[in-house]
Amino acid sequence: MTTATPEALTVPEVMAALRLSRSKVYDLIRSNTLTSFTIGRCRRVAADDLTTYIRNQTRSNA
């Protein structure tokens, strides 16, 4: 049985993936460094946007 990767991640999932605090994740969102969207009152980050953020960070720190 395979586990599908969710297309939209919650802030706690992003926190776990990046090993960052809640406030740091929201700082990234507020500064438009990490793209997010809302559904009602729920904040979500597209998995592709998280991958892009990580890729960009890897390139800029290389």
Side-chain angles (χ1 to χ4, degrees), residues 8-9 36-45:
L9 304 168
S36 69
F37 60 95
T38 56
I39 301 173
R41 294 180 57 188
C42 301
R43 175 76 53 187
R44 295 291 184 263
V45 174

Side-chain angles (χ1 to χ4, degrees), residues 14-27:
V14 174
M15 291 167 50
L18 296 176
R19 293 190 170 103
L20 293 174
S21 68
R22 177 181 295 277
S23 61
K24 184 60 180 173
V25 171
Y26 278 109
D27 285 345

